Amino acid sequence: GLGFNIVGGTDQQYIANDSSIYVSRIKKDGAAYLDGRLQEGDKILAINGKDLKDLRHKDAVELFRNAGYYVSLKIQRRLQPQNGPVGHRGDGESGGLPLAAILVPGVALAATAVWILLRYRQRM
């Protein structure tokens, strides 16, 4: 395949009131990843000169599957981050909470547990 996943279409809008096709995930070591130009969140306007406007999701997928060996994409780069299920940021994990939002409370909880354990053992 081309090494990326898409979202959107007239029947599966990724962004409210926008039936465009977007790159949701770039597969590591796939063709798009190795080429390096396509980015997650890019809007794909056309493939091999065929406009993607007003297509159902499955029809867009079929165009990509039948694109051939040499593929030309017309894209619109996303300028600002948007809320939504745009995929990984190069680390293989889905977008969402920043790592610090998970690590800081986790480390604090672990430190508290160790402190309680040590105090409990001192009383025995």
Side-chain angles (χ1 to χ4, degrees), residues 20-91:
S20 300
I21 303 296
Y22 291 87
V23 176
S24 63
R25 180 173 176 257
I26 307 252
K27 297 175 184 177
K28 190 167 184 163
D29 297 327
Y33 178 87
L34 296 172
D35 178 77
R37 291 180 283 179
L38 195 62
Q39 296 179 12
E40 291 172 355
D42 285 351
K43 182 191 290 190
I44 304 176
L45 305 173
I47 180 168
N48 293 340
K50 172 101 172 103
D51 190 6
L52 297 181
K53 188 175 173 121
D54 298 325
L55 287 179
R56 292 179 302 171
H57 180 79
K58 72 176 192 169
D59 296 329
V61 168
E62 198 60 31
L63 283 175
F64 284 95
R65 285 191 176 141
N66 296 319
Y69 188 76
Y70 295 102
V71 177
S72 172
L73 297 177
K74 181 178 180 183
I75 65 156
Q76 179 179 344
R77 183 79 63 215
R78 184 176 70 185
L79 299 176
Q80 295 181 6
Q82 299 177 12
N83 293 331
V86 173
H88 74 100
R89 303 287 181 252
D91 59 1

Short mmCIF file of all heavy atoms in Angstrom, two decimals, residues 20-91:
data_model
loop_
_atom_site.label_atom_id
_atom_site.label_comp_id
_atom_site.label_asym_id
_atom_site.label_seq_id
_atom_site.Cartn_x
_atom_site.Cartn_y
_atom_site.Cartn_z
N SER A 20 -13.96 16.50 3.56
CA SER A 20 -12.64 16.27 2.96
C SER A 20 -12.00 14.99 3.48
O SER A 20 -12.39 14.45 4.51
CB SER A 20 -11.72 17.46 3.25
OG SER A 20 -12.26 18.64 2.74
N ILE A 21 -10.97 14.55 2.76
CA ILE A 21 -10.20 13.36 3.13
C ILE A 21 -8.90 13.82 3.79
O ILE A 21 -8.20 14.69 3.27
CB ILE A 21 -9.88 12.51 1.88
CG1 ILE A 21 -11.16 12.10 1.15
CG2 ILE A 21 -9.03 11.31 2.25
CD1 ILE A 21 -12.09 11.21 1.94
N TYR A 22 -8.60 13.24 4.95
CA TYR A 22 -7.41 13.62 5.72
C TYR A 22 -6.53 12.41 5.99
O TYR A 22 -7.01 11.29 6.09
CB TYR A 22 -7.82 14.22 7.09
CG TYR A 22 -8.49 15.56 6.98
CD1 TYR A 22 -9.86 15.66 6.78
CD2 TYR A 22 -7.75 16.73 7.08
CE1 TYR A 22 -10.48 16.89 6.69
CE2 TYR A 22 -8.36 17.97 6.99
CZ TYR A 22 -9.72 18.04 6.78
OH TYR A 22 -10.33 19.26 6.69
N VAL A 23 -5.24 12.66 6.14
CA VAL A 23 -4.30 11.62 6.54
C VAL A 23 -4.43 11.46 8.06
O VAL A 23 -4.21 12.41 8.80
CB VAL A 23 -2.84 12.00 6.17
CG1 VAL A 23 -1.86 10.95 6.69
CG2 VAL A 23 -2.70 12.20 4.68
N SER A 24 -4.78 10.25 8.49
CA SER A 24 -4.93 10.03 9.93
C SER A 24 -3.70 9.38 10.55
O SER A 24 -3.42 9.58 11.72
CB SER A 24 -6.15 9.15 10.22
OG SER A 24 -6.00 7.87 9.64
N ARG A 25 -2.98 8.61 9.74
CA ARG A 25 -1.82 7.91 10.29
C ARG A 25 -0.85 7.57 9.18
O ARG A 25 -1.24 7.16 8.11
CB ARG A 25 -2.29 6.61 10.96
CG ARG A 25 -1.17 5.80 11.57
CD ARG A 25 -1.73 4.62 12.36
NE ARG A 25 -0.64 3.80 12.85
CZ ARG A 25 -0.28 2.64 12.32
NH1 ARG A 25 -0.95 2.14 11.32
NH2 ARG A 25 0.74 1.97 12.80
N ILE A 26 0.42 7.78 9.46
CA ILE A 26 1.49 7.38 8.54
C ILE A 26 2.12 6.13 9.14
O ILE A 26 2.56 6.15 10.29
CB ILE A 26 2.56 8.50 8.39
CG1 ILE A 26 1.90 9.80 8.01
CG2 ILE A 26 3.67 8.04 7.47
CD1 ILE A 26 2.08 10.32 6.65
N LYS A 27 2.15 5.06 8.38
CA LYS A 27 2.69 3.80 8.88
C LYS A 27 4.21 3.81 8.81
O LYS A 27 4.79 4.09 7.76
CB LYS A 27 2.13 2.64 8.06
CG LYS A 27 0.63 2.52 8.19
CD LYS A 27 0.08 1.44 7.29
CE LYS A 27 -1.43 1.41 7.37
NZ LYS A 27 -2.01 0.43 6.45
N LYS A 28 4.82 3.51 9.93
CA LYS A 28 6.29 3.51 9.99
C LYS A 28 6.86 2.54 8.97
O LYS A 28 6.38 1.43 8.84
CB LYS A 28 6.75 3.14 11.40
CG LYS A 28 8.22 3.36 11.59
CD LYS A 28 8.62 3.28 13.04
CE LYS A 28 10.08 3.60 13.14
NZ LYS A 28 10.52 3.94 14.44
N ASP A 29 7.85 2.99 8.24
CA ASP A 29 8.54 2.23 7.20
C ASP A 29 7.69 1.98 5.96
O ASP A 29 8.09 1.22 5.08
CB ASP A 29 9.10 0.90 7.74
CG ASP A 29 10.15 1.13 8.82
OD1 ASP A 29 10.88 2.14 8.73
OD2 ASP A 29 10.22 0.33 9.76
N GLY A 30 6.51 2.61 5.86
CA GLY A 30 5.70 2.52 4.65
C GLY A 30 6.18 3.52 3.61
O GLY A 30 7.08 4.33 3.88
N ALA A 31 5.59 3.49 2.44
CA ALA A 31 6.01 4.37 1.34
C ALA A 31 5.94 5.85 1.73
O ALA A 31 6.87 6.61 1.47
CB ALA A 31 5.17 4.09 0.10
N ALA A 32 4.83 6.27 2.33
CA ALA A 32 4.69 7.68 2.70
C ALA A 32 5.71 8.09 3.76
O ALA A 32 6.26 9.19 3.71
CB ALA A 32 3.27 7.96 3.19
N TYR A 33 5.96 7.21 4.70
CA TYR A 33 6.94 7.48 5.76
C TYR A 33 8.34 7.64 5.15
O TYR A 33 9.07 8.57 5.49
CB TYR A 33 6.92 6.33 6.77
CG TYR A 33 7.92 6.46 7.89
CD1 TYR A 33 7.61 7.17 9.04
CD2 TYR A 33 9.18 5.87 7.81
CE1 TYR A 33 8.52 7.29 10.07
CE2 TYR A 33 10.10 5.98 8.84
CZ TYR A 33 9.76 6.69 9.97
OH TYR A 33 10.66 6.82 10.99
N LEU A 34 8.69 6.73 4.27
CA LEU A 34 10.02 6.78 3.66
C LEU A 34 10.18 7.99 2.75
O LEU A 34 11.27 8.55 2.66
CB LEU A 34 10.28 5.48 2.88
CG LEU A 34 10.33 4.22 3.75
CD1 LEU A 34 10.40 2.97 2.88
CD2 LEU A 34 11.50 4.27 4.72
N ASP A 35 9.10 8.40 2.08
CA ASP A 35 9.15 9.60 1.24
C ASP A 35 9.32 10.85 2.10
O ASP A 35 10.08 11.75 1.75
CB ASP A 35 7.88 9.70 0.40
CG ASP A 35 7.86 10.95 -0.44
OD1 ASP A 35 8.55 10.99 -1.47
OD2 ASP A 35 7.16 11.92 -0.04
N GLY A 36 8.63 10.92 3.22
CA GLY A 36 8.82 12.00 4.19
C GLY A 36 8.05 13.29 3.96
O GLY A 36 8.11 14.19 4.77
N ARG A 37 7.34 13.42 2.88
CA ARG A 37 6.64 14.68 2.61
C ARG A 37 5.24 14.74 3.19
O ARG A 37 4.82 15.81 3.64
CB ARG A 37 6.58 14.93 1.11
CG ARG A 37 7.95 15.24 0.51
CD ARG A 37 7.87 15.47 -0.97
NE ARG A 37 7.73 14.18 -1.64
CZ ARG A 37 7.62 14.03 -2.95
NH1 ARG A 37 7.60 15.09 -3.73
NH2 ARG A 37 7.51 12.83 -3.48
N LEU A 38 4.53 13.66 3.22
CA LEU A 38 3.16 13.64 3.73
C LEU A 38 3.19 13.65 5.25
O LEU A 38 4.05 13.02 5.86
CB LEU A 38 2.45 12.38 3.22
CG LEU A 38 0.93 12.34 3.33
CD1 LEU A 38 0.30 13.45 2.50
CD2 LEU A 38 0.42 10.99 2.88
N GLN A 39 2.25 14.38 5.86
CA GLN A 39 2.18 14.46 7.31
C GLN A 39 0.78 14.12 7.78
O GLN A 39 -0.20 14.34 7.08
CB GLN A 39 2.53 15.87 7.80
CG GLN A 39 3.94 16.29 7.50
CD GLN A 39 4.22 17.70 7.99
OE1 GLN A 39 3.44 18.28 8.74
NE2 GLN A 39 5.33 18.26 7.55
N GLU A 40 0.71 13.58 8.99
CA GLU A 40 -0.60 13.32 9.59
C GLU A 40 -1.34 14.64 9.73
O GLU A 40 -0.76 15.65 10.13
CB GLU A 40 -0.42 12.62 10.93
CG GLU A 40 0.10 11.23 10.73
CD GLU A 40 0.49 10.54 12.02
OE1 GLU A 40 0.44 11.19 13.09
OE2 GLU A 40 0.89 9.38 11.96
N GLY A 41 -2.62 14.61 9.40
CA GLY A 41 -3.44 15.82 9.47
C GLY A 41 -3.54 16.55 8.14
O GLY A 41 -4.36 17.43 7.99
N ASP A 42 -2.69 16.18 7.16
CA ASP A 42 -2.78 16.81 5.83
C ASP A 42 -4.13 16.49 5.21
O ASP A 42 -4.64 15.37 5.33
CB ASP A 42 -1.68 16.29 4.90
CG ASP A 42 -0.31 16.87 5.21
OD1 ASP A 42 -0.22 17.80 6.03
OD2 ASP A 42 0.67 16.38 4.62
N LYS A 43 -4.70 17.47 4.52
CA LYS A 43 -5.92 17.26 3.74
C LYS A 43 -5.49 16.86 2.33
O LYS A 43 -4.67 17.54 1.72
CB LYS A 43 -6.75 18.54 3.68
CG LYS A 43 -8.06 18.38 2.92
CD LYS A 43 -8.76 19.71 2.64
CE LYS A 43 -9.31 20.34 3.87
NZ LYS A 43 -10.19 21.51 3.55
N ILE A 44 -6.03 15.76 1.83
CA ILE A 44 -5.70 15.32 0.48
C ILE A 44 -6.78 15.83 -0.46
O ILE A 44 -7.95 15.46 -0.34
CB ILE A 44 -5.57 13.79 0.40
CG1 ILE A 44 -4.53 13.31 1.41
CG2 ILE A 44 -5.18 13.38 -1.02
CD1 ILE A 44 -4.39 11.81 1.47
N LEU A 45 -6.38 16.70 -1.37
CA LEU A 45 -7.33 17.32 -2.29
C LEU A 45 -7.54 16.49 -3.55
O LEU A 45 -8.64 16.47 -4.11
CB LEU A 45 -6.84 18.72 -2.67
CG LEU A 45 -6.56 19.66 -1.49
CD1 LEU A 45 -5.94 20.95 -1.98
CD2 LEU A 45 -7.83 19.93 -0.71
N ALA A 46 -6.49 15.81 -4.01
CA ALA A 46 -6.58 15.02 -5.24
C ALA A 46 -5.52 13.93 -5.24
O ALA A 46 -4.47 14.08 -4.62
CB ALA A 46 -6.40 15.92 -6.46
N ILE A 47 -5.81 12.84 -5.96
CA ILE A 47 -4.85 11.77 -6.17
C ILE A 47 -4.79 11.50 -7.67
O ILE A 47 -5.82 11.30 -8.32
CB ILE A 47 -5.21 10.50 -5.37
CG1 ILE A 47 -4.18 9.40 -5.62
CG2 ILE A 47 -6.62 10.03 -5.63
CD1 ILE A 47 -4.27 8.22 -4.68
N ASN A 48 -3.58 11.57 -8.19
CA ASN A 48 -3.35 11.38 -9.64
C ASN A 48 -4.28 12.25 -10.48
O ASN A 48 -4.83 11.81 -11.49
CB ASN A 48 -3.49 9.90 -10.02
CG ASN A 48 -2.40 9.04 -9.42
OD1 ASN A 48 -1.35 9.54 -9.03
ND2 ASN A 48 -2.65 7.76 -9.32
N GLY A 49 -4.48 13.49 -10.02
CA GLY A 49 -5.31 14.45 -10.75
C GLY A 49 -6.80 14.31 -10.52
O GLY A 49 -7.58 15.13 -10.99
N LYS A 50 -7.23 13.29 -9.78
CA LYS A 50 -8.66 13.07 -9.52
C LYS A 50 -9.04 13.76 -8.22
O LYS A 50 -8.52 13.45 -7.16
CB LYS A 50 -8.94 11.56 -9.42
CG LYS A 50 -10.33 11.22 -8.96
CD LYS A 50 -11.21 10.81 -10.12
CE LYS A 50 -12.54 10.27 -9.63
NZ LYS A 50 -13.63 11.18 -9.75
N ASP A 51 -9.96 14.72 -8.33
CA ASP A 51 -10.44 15.49 -7.18
C ASP A 51 -11.15 14.57 -6.19
O ASP A 51 -11.96 13.73 -6.59
CB ASP A 51 -11.39 16.58 -7.68
CG ASP A 51 -11.78 17.59 -6.63
OD1 ASP A 51 -11.23 17.54 -5.51
OD2 ASP A 51 -12.63 18.45 -6.93
N LEU A 52 -10.87 14.74 -4.89
CA LEU A 52 -11.48 13.91 -3.86
C LEU A 52 -12.70 14.57 -3.22
O LEU A 52 -13.26 14.04 -2.27
CB LEU A 52 -10.46 13.57 -2.77
CG LEU A 52 -9.25 12.75 -3.21
CD1 LEU A 52 -8.35 12.46 -2.03
CD2 LEU A 52 -9.68 11.47 -3.89
N LYS A 53 -13.11 15.68 -3.75
CA LYS A 53 -14.24 16.42 -3.18
C LYS A 53 -15.54 15.62 -3.33
O LYS A 53 -15.80 15.03 -4.36
CB LYS A 53 -14.37 17.78 -3.88
CG LYS A 53 -15.37 18.69 -3.25
CD LYS A 53 -15.35 20.05 -3.92
CE LYS A 53 -16.46 20.89 -3.38
NZ LYS A 53 -16.00 22.10 -2.79
N ASP A 54 -16.32 15.61 -2.28
CA ASP A 54 -17.66 15.01 -2.25
C ASP A 54 -17.66 13.51 -2.52
O ASP A 54 -18.57 12.98 -3.18
CB ASP A 54 -18.60 15.72 -3.23
CG ASP A 54 -18.81 17.18 -2.85
OD1 ASP A 54 -18.84 17.48 -1.63
OD2 ASP A 54 -18.92 18.02 -3.76
N LEU A 55 -16.66 12.79 -2.01
CA LEU A 55 -16.62 11.34 -2.14
C LEU A 55 -16.99 10.68 -0.81
O LEU A 55 -16.66 11.21 0.26
CB LEU A 55 -15.22 10.86 -2.52
CG LEU A 55 -14.75 11.10 -3.94
CD1 LEU A 55 -13.33 10.57 -4.10
CD2 LEU A 55 -15.67 10.44 -4.95
N ARG A 56 -17.62 9.53 -0.89
CA ARG A 56 -17.81 8.72 0.31
C ARG A 56 -16.45 8.15 0.70
O ARG A 56 -15.56 8.00 -0.15
CB ARG A 56 -18.79 7.58 0.05
CG ARG A 56 -20.21 8.05 -0.19
CD ARG A 56 -21.13 6.90 -0.47
NE ARG A 56 -20.64 6.16 -1.64
CZ ARG A 56 -21.11 5.01 -2.05
NH1 ARG A 56 -22.10 4.43 -1.41
NH2 ARG A 56 -20.61 4.40 -3.12
N HIS A 57 -16.31 7.79 1.95
CA HIS A 57 -15.02 7.28 2.45
C HIS A 57 -14.57 6.06 1.65
O HIS A 57 -13.42 5.99 1.21
CB HIS A 57 -15.13 6.94 3.94
CG HIS A 57 -13.86 6.40 4.52
ND1 HIS A 57 -12.82 7.23 4.87
CD2 HIS A 57 -13.45 5.14 4.76
CE1 HIS A 57 -11.82 6.48 5.33
NE2 HIS A 57 -12.18 5.22 5.27
N LYS A 58 -15.47 5.11 1.45
CA LYS A 58 -15.07 3.87 0.77
C LYS A 58 -14.67 4.14 -0.68
O LYS A 58 -13.79 3.46 -1.21
CB LYS A 58 -16.16 2.80 0.85
CG LYS A 58 -17.39 3.05 0.02
CD LYS A 58 -18.33 1.87 0.12
CE LYS A 58 -19.42 1.99 -0.95
NZ LYS A 58 -20.19 0.77 -1.06
N ASP A 59 -15.26 5.14 -1.33
CA ASP A 59 -14.88 5.48 -2.70
C ASP A 59 -13.48 6.10 -2.75
O ASP A 59 -12.70 5.83 -3.67
CB ASP A 59 -15.91 6.42 -3.33
CG ASP A 59 -17.28 5.76 -3.47
OD1 ASP A 59 -17.33 4.52 -3.66
OD2 ASP A 59 -18.29 6.48 -3.38
N ALA A 60 -13.17 6.92 -1.73
CA ALA A 60 -11.83 7.49 -1.63
C ALA A 60 -10.79 6.38 -1.40
O ALA A 60 -9.74 6.36 -2.04
CB ALA A 60 -11.77 8.53 -0.51
N VAL A 61 -11.11 5.45 -0.50
CA VAL A 61 -10.21 4.33 -0.23
C VAL A 61 -9.94 3.55 -1.51
O VAL A 61 -8.80 3.17 -1.80
CB VAL A 61 -10.79 3.41 0.88
CG1 VAL A 61 -10.02 2.10 0.97
CG2 VAL A 61 -10.79 4.13 2.22
N GLU A 62 -10.98 3.33 -2.30
CA GLU A 62 -10.83 2.58 -3.55
C GLU A 62 -9.90 3.31 -4.52
O GLU A 62 -9.08 2.68 -5.21
CB GLU A 62 -12.21 2.35 -4.19
CG GLU A 62 -12.22 1.25 -5.20
CD GLU A 62 -11.81 -0.11 -4.63
OE1 GLU A 62 -12.06 -0.39 -3.45
OE2 GLU A 62 -11.22 -0.89 -5.40
N LEU A 63 -9.99 4.64 -4.59
CA LEU A 63 -9.08 5.40 -5.44
C LEU A 63 -7.63 5.21 -5.01
O LEU A 63 -6.73 5.07 -5.86
CB LEU A 63 -9.43 6.89 -5.41
CG LEU A 63 -10.63 7.33 -6.24
CD1 LEU A 63 -10.92 8.80 -6.01
CD2 LEU A 63 -10.39 7.07 -7.72
N PHE A 64 -7.39 5.22 -3.71
CA PHE A 64 -6.03 5.03 -3.21
C PHE A 64 -5.54 3.62 -3.50
O PHE A 64 -4.39 3.42 -3.87
CB PHE A 64 -5.96 5.34 -1.71
CG PHE A 64 -5.97 6.81 -1.42
CD1 PHE A 64 -7.16 7.45 -1.11
CD2 PHE A 64 -4.82 7.56 -1.46
CE1 PHE A 64 -7.19 8.81 -0.86
CE2 PHE A 64 -4.84 8.91 -1.20
CZ PHE A 64 -6.03 9.54 -0.90
N ARG A 65 -6.40 2.64 -3.33
CA ARG A 65 -6.00 1.25 -3.57
C ARG A 65 -5.65 1.00 -5.03
O ARG A 65 -4.81 0.16 -5.34
CB ARG A 65 -7.11 0.30 -3.15
CG ARG A 65 -7.21 0.15 -1.66
CD ARG A 65 -8.12 -0.98 -1.26
NE ARG A 65 -8.10 -1.13 0.19
CZ ARG A 65 -9.15 -1.43 0.92
NH1 ARG A 65 -10.32 -1.62 0.35
NH2 ARG A 65 -9.04 -1.53 2.22
N ASN A 66 -6.29 1.73 -5.94
CA ASN A 66 -6.07 1.54 -7.37
C ASN A 66 -5.18 2.62 -7.98
O ASN A 66 -5.18 2.80 -9.20
CB ASN A 66 -7.42 1.50 -8.10
CG ASN A 66 -8.25 0.32 -7.68
OD1 ASN A 66 -7.74 -0.78 -7.51
ND2 ASN A 66 -9.54 0.55 -7.47
N ALA A 67 -4.43 3.31 -7.16
CA ALA A 67 -3.64 4.46 -7.63
C ALA A 67 -2.46 4.06 -8.51
O ALA A 67 -1.99 4.86 -9.31
CB ALA A 67 -3.14 5.27 -6.44
N GLY A 68 -1.97 2.86 -8.35
CA GLY A 68 -0.83 2.43 -9.14
C GLY A 68 0.48 2.63 -8.40
O GLY A 68 0.51 2.97 -7.22
N TYR A 69 1.56 2.41 -9.13
CA TYR A 69 2.89 2.46 -8.53
C TYR A 69 3.37 3.89 -8.31
O TYR A 69 3.95 4.21 -7.29
CB TYR A 69 3.88 1.69 -9.42
CG TYR A 69 5.23 1.52 -8.80
CD1 TYR A 69 5.45 0.59 -7.78
CD2 TYR A 69 6.31 2.30 -9.22
CE1 TYR A 69 6.70 0.45 -7.20
CE2 TYR A 69 7.56 2.15 -8.64
CZ TYR A 69 7.74 1.22 -7.65
OH TYR A 69 8.97 1.09 -7.07
N TYR A 70 3.15 4.76 -9.27
CA TYR A 70 3.52 6.17 -9.14
C TYR A 70 2.29 6.97 -8.78
O TYR A 70 1.29 6.94 -9.50
CB TYR A 70 4.14 6.70 -10.44
CG TYR A 70 5.44 6.03 -10.77
CD1 TYR A 70 5.51 5.03 -11.73
CD2 TYR A 70 6.60 6.38 -10.09
CE1 TYR A 70 6.72 4.40 -12.01
CE2 TYR A 70 7.81 5.76 -10.36
CZ TYR A 70 7.85 4.77 -11.33
OH TYR A 70 9.04 4.15 -11.60
N VAL A 71 2.35 7.66 -7.66
CA VAL A 71 1.18 8.36 -7.13
C VAL A 71 1.51 9.83 -6.96
O VAL A 71 2.55 10.20 -6.41
CB VAL A 71 0.75 7.75 -5.78
CG1 VAL A 71 -0.42 8.51 -5.19
CG2 VAL A 71 0.41 6.28 -5.94
N SER A 72 0.60 10.67 -7.41
CA SER A 72 0.72 12.11 -7.24
C SER A 72 -0.42 12.58 -6.35
O SER A 72 -1.59 12.33 -6.65
CB SER A 72 0.64 12.80 -8.61
OG SER A 72 0.56 14.20 -8.44
N LEU A 73 -0.06 13.22 -5.25
CA LEU A 73 -1.07 13.74 -4.32
C LEU A 73 -1.03 15.25 -4.31
O LEU A 73 0.05 15.85 -4.27
CB LEU A 73 -0.81 13.24 -2.90
CG LEU A 73 -0.89 11.74 -2.64
CD1 LEU A 73 -0.54 11.45 -1.20
CD2 LEU A 73 -2.26 11.20 -2.98
N LYS A 74 -2.19 15.86 -4.32
CA LYS A 74 -2.31 17.31 -4.08
C LYS A 74 -2.84 17.45 -2.67
O LYS A 74 -3.92 16.93 -2.36
CB LYS A 74 -3.26 17.94 -5.09
CG LYS A 74 -3.40 19.44 -4.91
CD LYS A 74 -4.32 20.02 -5.98
CE LYS A 74 -4.47 21.52 -5.80
NZ LYS A 74 -5.43 22.06 -6.78
N ILE A 75 -2.06 18.09 -1.80
CA ILE A 75 -2.45 18.18 -0.40
C ILE A 75 -2.53 19.63 0.06
O ILE A 75 -2.00 20.53 -0.57
CB ILE A 75 -1.48 17.41 0.51
CG1 ILE A 75 -0.09 18.06 0.48
CG2 ILE A 75 -1.40 15.95 0.15
CD1 ILE A 75 0.73 17.78 1.70
N GLN A 76 -3.20 19.81 1.17
CA GLN A 76 -3.22 21.09 1.87
C GLN A 76 -2.70 20.81 3.26
O GLN A 76 -3.25 20.00 4.00
CB GLN A 76 -4.65 21.65 1.94
CG GLN A 76 -4.73 22.97 2.67
CD GLN A 76 -6.17 23.48 2.68
OE1 GLN A 76 -7.02 23.03 1.93
NE2 GLN A 76 -6.43 24.43 3.56
N ARG A 77 -1.58 21.43 3.59
CA ARG A 77 -0.94 21.21 4.88
C ARG A 77 -1.80 21.82 5.99
O ARG A 77 -2.30 22.92 5.87
CB ARG A 77 0.44 21.87 4.88
CG ARG A 77 1.26 21.67 6.10
CD ARG A 77 1.95 20.34 6.20
NE ARG A 77 2.91 20.17 5.12
CZ ARG A 77 3.15 18.99 4.55
NH1 ARG A 77 2.53 17.92 4.94
NH2 ARG A 77 4.01 18.89 3.59
N ARG A 78 -1.95 21.08 7.07
CA ARG A 78 -2.67 21.61 8.23
C ARG A 78 -1.78 22.61 8.93
O ARG A 78 -0.65 22.30 9.29
CB ARG A 78 -3.04 20.47 9.17
CG ARG A 78 -3.88 20.98 10.33
CD ARG A 78 -4.32 19.87 11.21
NE ARG A 78 -3.15 19.36 11.91
CZ ARG A 78 -3.17 18.33 12.69
NH1 ARG A 78 -4.25 17.66 12.86
NH2 ARG A 78 -2.07 17.93 13.30
N LEU A 79 -2.29 23.80 9.13
CA LEU A 79 -1.47 24.86 9.70
C LEU A 79 -1.48 24.86 11.23
O LEU A 79 -0.49 25.17 11.85
CB LEU A 79 -1.94 26.22 9.19
CG LEU A 79 -1.83 26.41 7.67
CD1 LEU A 79 -2.40 27.75 7.26
CD2 LEU A 79 -0.39 26.28 7.22
N GLN A 80 -2.62 24.53 11.81
CA GLN A 80 -2.72 24.54 13.26
C GLN A 80 -3.24 23.20 13.73
O GLN A 80 -4.07 22.58 13.07
CB GLN A 80 -3.68 25.63 13.73
CG GLN A 80 -3.20 27.02 13.41
CD GLN A 80 -4.19 28.06 13.91
OE1 GLN A 80 -5.15 27.75 14.59
NE2 GLN A 80 -3.95 29.31 13.57
N PRO A 81 -2.78 22.75 14.91
CA PRO A 81 -3.30 21.49 15.45
C PRO A 81 -4.81 21.60 15.66
O PRO A 81 -5.31 22.66 16.02
CB PRO A 81 -2.58 21.33 16.79
CG PRO A 81 -1.41 22.23 16.72
CD PRO A 81 -1.76 23.34 15.76
N GLN A 82 -5.50 20.50 15.42
CA GLN A 82 -6.94 20.45 15.64
C GLN A 82 -7.25 19.31 16.58
O GLN A 82 -6.51 18.35 16.67
CB GLN A 82 -7.67 20.21 14.31
CG GLN A 82 -7.42 21.30 13.30
CD GLN A 82 -8.10 20.98 11.98
OE1 GLN A 82 -8.91 20.08 11.89
NE2 GLN A 82 -7.77 21.72 10.96
N ASN A 83 -8.37 19.44 17.27
CA ASN A 83 -8.82 18.34 18.11
C ASN A 83 -9.32 17.24 17.20
O ASN A 83 -9.87 17.49 16.16
CB ASN A 83 -9.93 18.80 19.05
CG ASN A 83 -9.42 19.79 20.06
OD1 ASN A 83 -8.26 19.76 20.43
ND2 ASN A 83 -10.28 20.69 20.51
N GLY A 84 -9.14 16.01 17.61
CA GLY A 84 -9.62 14.90 16.80
C GLY A 84 -8.64 13.75 16.86
O GLY A 84 -7.57 13.86 17.43
N PRO A 85 -9.01 12.67 16.22
CA PRO A 85 -8.20 11.45 16.33
C PRO A 85 -7.05 11.36 15.35
O PRO A 85 -6.81 10.33 14.77
CB PRO A 85 -9.24 10.35 16.05
CG PRO A 85 -10.19 11.00 15.12
CD PRO A 85 -10.27 12.44 15.57
N VAL A 86 -6.34 12.46 15.14
CA VAL A 86 -5.15 12.36 14.29
C VAL A 86 -4.17 11.46 15.00
O VAL A 86 -3.95 11.59 16.20
CB VAL A 86 -4.55 13.76 14.03
CG1 VAL A 86 -3.22 13.64 13.31
CG2 VAL A 86 -5.51 14.60 13.21
N GLY A 87 -3.56 10.56 14.28
CA GLY A 87 -2.76 9.46 14.84
C GLY A 87 -1.48 9.87 15.51
O GLY A 87 -1.34 10.95 16.05
N HIS A 88 -0.50 9.01 15.42
CA HIS A 88 0.74 9.13 16.19
C HIS A 88 1.57 10.33 15.77
O HIS A 88 1.37 10.94 14.75
CB HIS A 88 1.55 7.84 16.07
CG HIS A 88 2.20 7.65 14.73
ND1 HIS A 88 3.50 7.92 14.51
CD2 HIS A 88 1.70 7.22 13.56
CE1 HIS A 88 3.81 7.67 13.26
NE2 HIS A 88 2.72 7.24 12.66
N ARG A 89 2.50 10.67 16.58
CA ARG A 89 3.39 11.81 16.35
C ARG A 89 4.80 11.31 16.07
O ARG A 89 5.77 11.91 16.48
CB ARG A 89 3.41 12.72 17.58
CG ARG A 89 2.06 13.23 17.98
CD ARG A 89 1.56 14.27 17.00
NE ARG A 89 0.27 14.78 17.39
CZ ARG A 89 -0.85 14.50 16.76
NH1 ARG A 89 -0.86 13.71 15.72
NH2 ARG A 89 -1.99 15.01 17.16
N GLY A 90 4.90 10.18 15.43
CA GLY A 90 6.21 9.64 15.09
C GLY A 90 6.72 8.61 16.09
O GLY A 90 7.75 8.02 15.89
N ASP A 91 5.96 8.37 17.15
CA ASP A 91 6.43 7.42 18.15
C ASP A 91 5.59 6.15 18.18
O ASP A 91 5.75 5.32 19.05
CB ASP A 91 6.42 8.07 19.54
CG ASP A 91 5.04 8.56 19.94
OD1 ASP A 91 4.08 8.39 19.16
OD2 ASP A 91 4.92 9.11 21.04
#
